[in-house]
Amino acid sequence: MLEKTFSPAEVEASHYQRWEETGAFAAHVDSNQTPYTIMMPPPNVTGSLHMGHALTFTLQDILIRYQRMRGKDALWQPGTDHAGIATQMVVERNLGKEGISRQDLGREKFLEKVWEWKAESGGTITTQLRRLGASTDWARERFTMDEGLNKAVRKVFVELYRQGLIYRDKRLVNWDPKLHTAISDLEVEQKEVNGNLWHFRYPIDGQEGRYIVVATTRPETMLADTAVAVHPEDERYKDLIGKFVRLPLVGRMIPIVADEYADPETGSGAVKITPAHDFNDFEVGKRHKLPLINLLDRDARIVQAFEGYKPDANGRLEAFSEPVPDSYRGLDRYEARKKVVADLEALELLEQIVPHKMTQPHGDRSGVVIEPWLTDQWYCDAATLAKPAIEAVETGKTVFVPKNWENTYFEWMRNIQPWCISRQLWWGHQIPAWYDADGNVFVAETAEEAQALAGAGVALTRDSDVLDTWFSSALWPFSTLGWPEKVPELDRYYPGDVLVTGFDIIFFWVARMMMMGIHFMGDVPFKTVYIHALVRDEKGQKMSKSKGNVIDPLEVIDQYGCDALRFTLTAMAAQGRDIKLAVNRVEGYRNFATKLWNAARYAEMNQVAQVPSFDPAGVKLTVNKWIVGAVQQAAGRVTDALDAYKFNEAANGIYQFAWNSFCDWYLEFTKPILNGEDEAAKAETRATTAWVLDRILHLLHPVMPFITEELNEKLGGQGQTLISAPWPLPQAALVDAAAGDEMEWVVRLISTIRTVRSEMNVPPSAQLPLLLKGASEVTRQRLATHRDLILRLARLSGVETTSEDAAKGSAQAILDEATLILPLADFIDVEKEKARLAKEIGKLAQDIAKIDAKLSNKNFVDKAPEEVIEEQRDRRAEADTVRAKLADALARLG
């Protein structure tokens, strides 16, 4: 006998352990089933489950469980990412507590400490994924730093280098002056800050007393200016193009160049160009072959001597050096800023200071302001690799769902820049390049191969940099399957079927997997990219610890169970729309689990049990024909929705059927049968109930795996676990249209009467009379057949057909051809109800008018965050729905 209540904590761990131990998650490379592959976006080894993880891994698990039940050889390839900077910082912090730095240990000993930490603490996220019910093939788990993947990374680097697609260059990077490494754009957080625009006068050479005014937010960088740019069509400066200014404080002569980057409408229309310290200026510098002058060292302090690089006739950079004024050497960048401003003011070259809001790049881990910095780094020719990856999406070899994300992909890929792949860290894939004493580079997969290239006896030093973590992640779809070895898994599971991920890493991961997959495997890495939305708080705000609005998925699981959380996320995962998550939504879907559990207990108490020989096509009772057909239609809706990645529609399709059609209606409709004397009818109804409940458990299993498996086991399950059971494909032949129409009419009739009772505040105990005007012969027959059910469930004293018009004080509603008339004068104060409804409609109209005024206010729309505007639209839609409902109720009273 089922327990009175469902206790998730008692069953989740045991079912998961059994699934894992029995190999239920395993893919079978020698199977003759059709393969189906999902590559898990590898969470950081430092990570801990957050709500974004909960969403993406729930959706992936739904797909893998669904396809497994569809008879596919389903591989969900798991693993974790070594997370270069994040992991190195964790270990450094731990060492710091003991008063030890990584420099104290040296590279080799430090890396030993990292591997020790990984062995002890690196499995947190995978343990938590198990709590979420993720049915991934853990026996195949990979780590981006394991030996197999390391071999793949080395081979890819060497091959791309030999093909001229990896090279070393001096370019600007995002430099973190605290962590002393280049970082990717993804690791840069833009923050709005209150700053200033300093307007400085630069003296025009040879024109005594004439200046050109430039505005800058970073006065200290003017020490490394190599030009001033003006727009070629700006009449104010046309006569100055080609002339020179003498750079204050330094004395360097720099040209005035014409470039469309200068905006005549912004500031003075003239901009200082510092190619070594600004990404836009770097591009201007390239166009005009300007020198690049490095102003800062790796700590963001002023250098002892300017390190300059001037392009020669072939575009190669020739080094030169230039003295830095003594008083600036070694100053921190912000101290240098103060001194530059003070010195220019003393020279009467500071025209004005204007307060200015701006965005400033910060390292997302170090928290310090990032510097564009000119360094020697390794680069990948992303533009060449991007061409076939762009074509693959253009031709539909890979499709994005929702399709609009293709535009984001194209925008970035068609404007792609060289990819800086080197990082100044110790933890990561060390770059397979060695240098001799003259700086000649030898790129090879091993030290022995590099030595052979250099020649015996040549002393070599390995490059100390490591690769960007996205480099190894870009190989994930094939490196995890055993590449570069020729193994059966590679042929069978590549390319994958679908990638499920967030929009924020389309550039950094999806695009790079496309580039590397096509280049090394000759085919796209996945056929579909499903982009899910963000999980926000209930007000639409991004969750963050600083706001105190983070919802911890593990705490939610502890309180409401894993199934409730999974179902909530799935039901809210509408394509292209962020999820506004409130804990009470999870509580609501926990109630759905309770409803299902109670329905199973009710069935069990009424001797409902599966009948192995039951044939749903052979049922005779109309109510049973109806529910058999209804569950087929539900199966069709859920199947179609999952195939189209419409997760919310799949969840809502099974929810509506299980809660409404089955629990609320079918179980109520069949109570008189189960309590009656007709043994044949009872037997058919018990068998039908068991069969439909079994179909519900199958359809729900991908979303709510634990409660469904528990009920399947307790109710018999015909000896088969749900995780390995076949998917209940819809069978059109089992849909009896006539039975469906008849029972749905009964449902609509009772629902309409209940709605009127609720809207008119009719006391629950009141037994109302019902009159039907204009009823057809079919309606009369249905009324006669189901009279007792209708009276009981609609709480009616009687039901009759009539040809008379409704008496005063009656509520009316239309059902197909008939008019339903409910005389209410003896049960409620009709005039009072009319007044109440009119007042509520008026109040809602005022609320809607206020919202409309806000949304039509350009000032509000321009300044308000998107989530606030969306919230206003949602409120308006909700108010409009309620107003329409109340207006219908008022109209019913005449």
Side-chain angles (χ1 to χ4, degrees):
M1 188 70 184
L2 288 172
E3 296 294 329
K4 189 173 182 181
T5 57
F6 174 56
S7 301
E10 294 176 14
V11 303
E12 289 173 359
S14 62
H15 278 302
Y16 195 92
Q17 184 179 357
R18 194 176 313 131
W19 288 330
E20 195 169 356
E21 287 175 351
T22 57
F25 305 157
H28 303 282
V29 71
D30 54 354
S31 165
N32 58 9
Q33 296 173 309
T34 304
Y36 179 87
T37 311
I38 296 179
M39 285 287 160
M40 174 187 285
N44 286 352
V45 71
T46 58
S48 170
L49 193 72
H50 57 64
M51 205 53 84
H53 287 136
L55 172 64
T56 190
F57 292 125
T58 292
L59 300 183
Q60 290 171 66
D61 192 49
I62 289 169
L63 290 174
I64 214 74
R65 286 177 183 269
Y66 167 63
Q67 295 293 348
R68 196 183 284 127
M69 294 175 80
R70 292 293 301 267
K72 302 278 183 71
D73 173 31
L75 169 63
W76 186 10
Q77 173 63 53
T80 49
D81 189 275
H82 63 280
I85 293 178
T87 304
Q88 183 160 314
M89 284 182 68
V90 167
V91 177
E92 283 196 75
R93 273 199 302 268
N94 292 342
L95 290 172
K97 293 171 187 174
E98 302 172 28
I100 304 170
S101 72
R102 65 183 167 105
Q103 286 77 15
D104 294 335
L105 290 175
R107 184 173 194 139
E108 189 175 333
K109 292 288 185 187
F110 175 75
L111 291 179
E112 286 177 11
K113 292 288 185 185
V114 180
W115 280 107
E116 285 174 16
W117 176 87
K118 194 264 179 186
E120 292 171 11
S121 309
T124 299
I125 187 74
T126 55
T127 301
Q128 293 172 341
L129 285 176
R130 286 170 165 88
R131 288 208 61 197
L132 190 66
S135 61
T136 185
D137 192 344
W138 292 112
R140 296 178 182 272
E141 184 179 352
R142 304 301 300 267
F143 177 52
T144 49
M145 284 285 287
D146 70 30
E147 181 46 42
L149 271 67
N150 194 270
K151 182 178 181 181
V153 167
R154 293 196 306 269
K155 185 172 182 64
V156 165
F157 187 96
V158 171
E159 288 195 15
L160 289 176
Y161 176 79
R162 289 173 181 167
Q163 292 163 10
L165 296 172
I166 280 181
Y167 55 93
R168 196 155 171 80
D169 195 9
K170 190 179 291 293
R171 292 177 62 91
L172 284 194
V173 296
N174 297 309
W175 183 259
D176 189 313
K178 180 178 179 182
L179 298 179
H180 296 148
T181 181
I183 61 175
S184 73
D185 291 340
L186 183 66
E187 295 158 319
V188 175
E189 185 180 357
Q190 299 291 345
K191 294 182 181 178
E192 190 175 83
V193 297
N194 292 316
N196 291 309
L197 263 177
W198 286 270
H199 292 248
F200 298 136
R201 303 187 189 104
Y202 284 12
I204 308 294
D205 183 56
Q207 296 189 27
E208 186 87 25
R210 191 177 179 189
Y211 304 92
I212 189 167
V213 176
V214 299
T216 179
T217 59
R218 305 188 62 210
E220 68 280 7
T221 64
M222 62 88 63
L223 299 171
D225 286 356
T226 58
V228 171
V230 296
H231 195 279
E233 302 301 321
D234 194 331
E235 294 294 336
R236 294 171 294 178
Y237 302 122
K238 273 196 170 180
D239 67 317
L240 292 179
I241 294 170
K243 292 187 166 50
F244 288 79
V245 299
R246 184 170 296 280
L247 185 64
L249 307 180
V250 180
R252 184 184 311 124
M253 298 290 285
I254 60 175
I256 299 173
V257 299
D259 197 283
E260 291 186 352
Y261 169 63
D263 181 1
E265 304 299 321
T266 300
S268 66
V271 290
K272 59 190 277 308
I273 302 299
T274 321
H277 291 283
D278 182 276
F279 289 102
N280 291 315
D281 292 6
F282 182 79
E283 296 303 321
V284 176
K286 278 204 303 186
R287 287 195 288 273
H288 297 278
K289 296 189 169 137
L290 299 174
L292 298 91
I293 295 176
N294 223 344
L295 168 73
L296 302 172
D297 64 15
R298 71 176 201 152
D299 295 309
R301 293 181 175 277
I302 305 296
V303 291
Q304 296 299 310
F306 290 128
E307 302 162 10
Y309 302 91
K310 191 169 186 177
D312 65 14
N314 298 313
R316 289 189 295 265
L317 294 177
E318 293 180 343
F320 66 90
S321 185
E322 198 177 278
V324 172
D326 291 348
S327 59
Y328 294 101
R329 293 176 189 174
L331 288 182
D332 170 80
R333 53 185 164 170
Y334 299 117
E335 289 301 315
R337 174 178 299 181
K338 292 174 187 173
K339 182 164 178 53
V340 164
V341 172
D343 290 351
L344 287 172
E345 186 173 22
L347 293 170
E348 298 184 348
L349 296 177
L350 173 62
E351 183 162 290
Q352 62 173 327
I353 303 172
V354 180
H356 177 69
K357 272 195 173 181
M358 59 183 181
T359 56
Q360 204 171 49
H362 290 71
D364 66 350
R365 291 186 175 85
S366 67
V368 302
V369 176
I370 295 304
E371 282 293 339
W373 199 46
L374 189 67
T375 62
D376 289 308
Q377 301 282 349
W378 287 94
Y379 288 88
C380 182
D381 181 356
T384 298
L385 291 172
K387 288 173 186 172
I390 293 169
E391 185 185 5
V393 176
E394 288 174 335
T395 58
K397 288 186 77 175
T398 293
V399 297
F400 279 75
V401 179
K403 191 174 176 61
N404 63 287
W405 288 112
E406 290 179 5
N407 298 329
T408 303
Y409 174 83
F410 288 139
E411 175 67 24
W412 191 70
M413 291 289 267
R414 289 168 180 160
N415 298 284
I416 201 164
Q417 298 297 309
W419 173 16
C420 176
I421 57 174
S422 46
R423 298 288 180 269
Q424 290 65 55
L425 302 170
W426 286 357
W427 174 242
H429 293 278
Q430 193 169 353
I431 288 174
W434 285 260
Y435 303 92
D436 65 14
D438 297 324
N440 297 309
V441 63
F442 303 94
V443 172
E445 291 186 47
T446 66
E448 293 74 21
E449 290 175 19
Q451 192 67 62
L453 290 172
V458 176
L460 295 179
T461 304
R462 186 167 182 177
D463 196 311
S464 60
D465 285 356
V466 300
L467 286 162
D468 176 12
T469 53
W470 295 109
F471 190 91
S472 52
S473 296
L475 318 183
W476 189 253
F478 55 94
S479 63
T480 51
L481 296 175
W483 188 93
E485 305 301 327
K486 296 190 180 299
V487 293
E489 284 83 355
L490 207 54
D491 290 335
R492 183 164 178 77
Y493 300 117
Y494 188 98
D497 289 84
V498 61
L499 175 75
V500 178
T501 190
F503 67 85
D504 51 337
I505 55 174
I506 290 175
F507 315 135
F508 303 102
W509 190 46
V510 178
R512 286 162 179 168
M513 284 190 288
M514 289 285 286
M515 292 190 282
M516 293 298 192
I518 293 170
H519 192 78
F520 286 95
M521 295 296 295
D523 200 355
V524 295
F526 22 73
K527 297 157 195 164
T528 301
V529 180
Y530 174 79
I531 301 293
H532 61 72
L534 292 176
V535 184
R536 299 180 177 272
D537 73 7
E538 60 187 309
K539 295 178 182 175
Q541 301 287 321
K542 190 173 181 180
M543 291 188 192
S544 70
K545 289 179 182 176
S546 61
K547 290 180 183 174
N549 64 346
V550 172
I551 302 174
D552 185 332
L554 296 170
E555 290 179 5
V556 173
I557 289 172
D558 288 339
Q559 188 170 2
Y560 298 110
C562 178
D563 290 321
L565 174 62
R566 285 171 60 114
F567 199 95
T568 305
L569 293 170
T570 309
M572 299 180 77
Q575 288 183 9
R577 189 174 180 118
D578 286 349
I579 291 173
K580 294 180 183 177
L581 184 65
V583 174
N584 61 11
R585 291 296 295 267
V586 185
E587 184 179 8
Y589 287 119
R590 188 274 312 275
N591 296 342
F592 175 51
T594 301
K595 181 97 168 176
L596 186 66
W597 186 264
N598 290 341
R601 287 189 79 243
Y602 164 83
E604 193 178 42
M605 287 187 291
N606 282 277
Q607 293 82 54
V608 168
Q610 291 186 26
V611 178
S613 60
F614 175 73
D615 178 8
V619 297
K620 295 181 174 57
L621 299 179
T622 300
V623 70
N624 291 333
K625 289 180 180 179
W626 161 63
I627 202 66
V628 163
V631 79
Q632 298 310 306
Q633 292 166 330
R637 287 192 293 273
V638 175
T639 301
D640 290 346
L642 289 177
D643 286 343
Y645 305 101
K646 294 180 178 179
F647 296 98
N648 62 314
E649 292 183 14
N652 292 324
I654 187 58
Y655 178 92
Q656 293 299 332
F657 174 77
W659 187 296
N660 295 329
S661 301
F662 183 71
C663 294
D664 283 354
W665 295 110
Y666 177 74
L667 295 184
E668 284 296 328
F669 287 167
T670 55
K671 277 180 181 177
I673 299 172
L674 296 180
N675 293 326
E677 302 299 326
D678 187 334
E679 293 302 325
K682 287 162 76 171
E684 178 186 292
T685 300
R686 285 181 180 132
T688 302
T689 303
W691 184 81
V692 173
L693 181 56
D694 181 64
R695 300 295 86 188
I696 290 171
L697 297 181
H698 280 68
L699 292 169
L700 259 178
H701 178 73
V703 185
M704 302 179 85
F706 293 109
I707 190 171
T708 53
E709 195 73 272
E710 178 71 6
L711 287 173
N712 176 71
E713 181 183 291
K714 290 289 195 294
L715 299 177
Q718 299 187 12
Q720 187 176 32
T721 56
L722 273 184
I723 195 169
S724 57
W727 180 255
L729 288 171
Q731 301 175 59
L734 293 178
V735 179
D736 186 316
D741 287 346
E742 181 171 333
M743 297 312 300
E744 290 298 335
W745 178 87
V746 176
V747 169
R748 287 187 293 121
L749 173 64
I750 296 169
S751 297
T752 301
I753 295 167
R754 286 176 174 177
T755 298
V756 172
R757 294 181 66 114
S758 173
E759 288 172 348
M760 305 304 172
N761 287 331
V762 175
S765 60
Q767 300 282 310
L768 302 179
L770 171 66
L771 303 172
L772 265 75
K773 181 183 176 185
S776 66
E777 184 57 36
V778 171
T779 295
R780 290 169 185 266
Q781 286 176 0
R782 290 172 175 174
L783 200 57
T785 302
H786 303 286
R787 182 183 180 85
D788 291 344
L789 269 183
I790 293 165
L791 291 177
R792 178 168 63 90
L793 296 178
R795 297 194 297 281
L796 299 175
S797 58
V799 55
E800 296 176 13
T801 57
T802 184
S803 58
E804 301 292 325
D805 289 338
K808 189 177 179 184
S810 295
Q812 299 179 64
I814 303 298
L815 184 68
D816 298 339
E817 84 294 344
T819 301
L820 309 185
I821 301 171
L822 289 163
L824 300 178
D826 294 337
F827 302 94
I828 63 170
D829 184 330
V830 174
E831 294 306 316
K832 186 177 177 183
E833 281 304 310
K834 281 184 177 180
R836 179 184 67 82
L837 290 168
K839 184 178 179 181
E840 288 187 28
I841 291 168
K843 184 177 181 304
L844 285 165
Q846 289 178 351
D847 292 344
I848 290 168
K850 286 177 184 174
I851 295 171
D852 285 345
K854 262 187 185 177
L855 293 175
S856 60
N857 183 330
K858 190 174 183 302
N859 236 357
F860 172 77
V861 173
D862 288 346
K863 291 180 180 177
E866 183 56 40
E867 56 264 25
V868 172
I869 295 171
E870 190 180 325
E871 184 185 357
Q872 291 293 318
R873 288 175 181 148
D874 287 346
R875 282 182 55 202
R876 192 205 184 284
E878 187 180 340
D880 213 25
T881 301
V882 175
R883 180 177 64 168
K885 185 179 172 186
L886 294 177
D888 285 345
L890 186 59
R892 287 192 183 113
L893 286 173

